[in-house]
């Protein structure tokens, strides 16, 4: 093994933690009660009427405490089977399930940094919780603008966590997406930390400080590496869909919730200076 290869291997295996010199630039500890902090989170409802991607079956509600609320120092995102109540909601598209999809788009986005989210997941068949990021561009183009999946979990395969990236060259439509999985005992019964270390030449993800996934920049151009611009964070529970609903939905097990203890973002000083909206959490113009 060459010295360079040995150094790269050691770097990939190093414990995941905020690098020395990085500072905390944005966080939400979810204190208080009521709805999530509107200065930090918005609701993504744009495809309720026409239906969501991947044949998902949820309606994403905005400002509805049954689906997203703060309690006991945690954010609770809850998926519910309530077809009659859903039919009375605005822009309803016929979905029998309600849930929430919270995004930092319009309040904060980041280019590079260390991200840590401490969460407890739902495990009922048909649930599809995710902690992930998309490019903060308008209009955004998927998959060419890139997607980073810090945590995905499907209820029909309990306690198996997936971490992935999607790009023009590497995506699930082509069957080429880059991914890794890890069995996490008690992912649905206990809190775990899901982590992303995103740098200009490498993306690493892990769970509870243990590396799981590494994606290196190899010089293949934007089709392989579009991760040089700001991305925003997404927290949601989808219901059903081509993956989440591959074995149906257990209506009797609903409601199901994802509980998030905190979200924290660190960046080096030069990155923080380049993206002041991330540090302040202020709305972008």
């Amino acid at each position: 093994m060459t010295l360079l290869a040995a150094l790269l291997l050691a770097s990939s295996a190093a414990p995941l933690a905020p690098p020395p010199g990085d500072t905390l630039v944005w966080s939400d500890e979810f204190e208080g009660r009521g709805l999530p902090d509107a200065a930090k989170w918005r609701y993504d409802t744009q495809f309720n009427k026409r239906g969501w991607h991947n044949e998902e079956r949820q309606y994403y509600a905005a400002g509805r405490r049954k689906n997203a609320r703060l309690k006991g120092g945690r954010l609770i995102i809850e998926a519910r089977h309530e077809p009659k109540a859903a039919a009375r909601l605005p822009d309803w598209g016929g979905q029998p399930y309600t849930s929430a999809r919270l995004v930092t788009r319009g309040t904060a986005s980041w280019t590079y940094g260390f991200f840590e989210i401490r969460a407890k997941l739902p495990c009922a068949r048909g649930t599809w919780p995710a902690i992930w990021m998309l490019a903060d561009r308008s209009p955004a183009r998927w998959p060419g603008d890139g997607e980073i999946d810090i945590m995905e979990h499907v209820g029909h395969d309990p306690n198996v966590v997936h971490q992935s990236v999607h790009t023009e060259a590497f995506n699930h439509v082509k069957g080429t997406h880059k991914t890794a999985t890890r069995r996490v005992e008690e992912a649905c019964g206990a809190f775990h930390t899901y982590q992303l270390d995103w740098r200009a030449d490498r993306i690493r993800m892990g769970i509870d400080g243990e590396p799981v996934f590494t994606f290196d920049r190899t010089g293949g151009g934007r089709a392989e590496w579009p991760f040089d611009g700001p991305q925003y964070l997404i927290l949601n529970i989808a219901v059903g869909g081509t993956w989440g609903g591959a074995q149906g939905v257990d209506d009797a097990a609903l409601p199901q919730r994802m509980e998030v203890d905190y979200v924290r973002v660190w960046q080096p000083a030069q990155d923080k200076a380049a993206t002041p909206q991330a540090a302040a959490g202020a709305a972008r113009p």
Side-chain angles (χ1 to χ4, degrees), residues 202-268:
R202 169 175 286 186
I203 285 173
R204 299 172 68 216
M205 288 186 271
I207 303 168
D208 296 331
E210 183 178 349
V212 173
F213 173 88
T214 300
F215 180 68
D216 287 315
R217 186 175 198 154
T218 60
R222 182 173 172 79
E224 294 188 4
W225 182 280
F227 303 113
D228 289 319
Q231 295 217 351
Y232 63 93
L233 188 66
I234 307 168
L235 308 175
N236 70 284
I237 303 176
V239 181
T242 52
W243 189 23
Q247 296 184 20
V249 180
D250 183 0
D251 292 347
L254 299 176
Q256 287 283 318
R257 60 177 60 174
M258 176 166 67
E259 298 185 35
V260 185
D261 185 31
Y262 62 76
V263 176
R264 296 172 183 166
V265 182
W266 292 261
Q267 287 187 313

Side-chain angles (χ1 to χ4, degrees), residues 142-224:
W142 189 94
D145 289 331
E147 172 182 329
I148 302 173
D149 297 324
I150 303 172
M151 185 289 303
E152 282 189 286
H153 179 276
V154 290
H156 61 76
D157 193 14
N159 297 316
V160 176
V161 173
H162 305 256
Q163 297 184 312
S164 315
V165 297
H166 296 271
T167 72
E168 190 68 46
F170 307 122
N171 62 79
H172 75 272
V173 176
K174 294 180 177 178
T176 58
H177 66 294
K178 302 297 184 179
T179 189
T181 61
R182 178 64 52 87
R183 184 165 188 84
V184 181
E185 296 302 332
E186 292 296 313
C188 305
F191 283 90
H192 295 273
T193 54
Y194 300 96
Q195 300 156 311
L196 162 68
D197 189 15
W198 171 23
R199 305 294 151 172
D201 60 350
R202 169 175 286 186
I203 285 173
R204 299 172 68 216
M205 288 186 271
I207 303 168
D208 296 331
E210 183 178 349
V212 173
F213 173 88
T214 300
F215 180 68
D216 287 315
R217 186 175 198 154
T218 60
R222 182 173 172 79
E224 294 188 4

Side-chain angles (χ1 to χ4, degrees), residues 63-102:
R64 188 170 186 257
R65 293 191 186 192
K66 286 186 176 181
N67 299 115
R69 61 191 178 274
L70 304 182
K71 185 177 180 180
R74 298 169 183 171
L75 167 67
I76 297 172
I77 298 177
E78 190 164 278
R80 306 173 65 89
H81 181 229
E82 45 180 356
K84 291 183 179 179
R88 296 192 295 268
L89 296 172
D91 69 347
W92 181 62
Q95 301 92 337
Y97 306 98
T98 62
S99 186
R101 174 165 159 148
L102 300 183

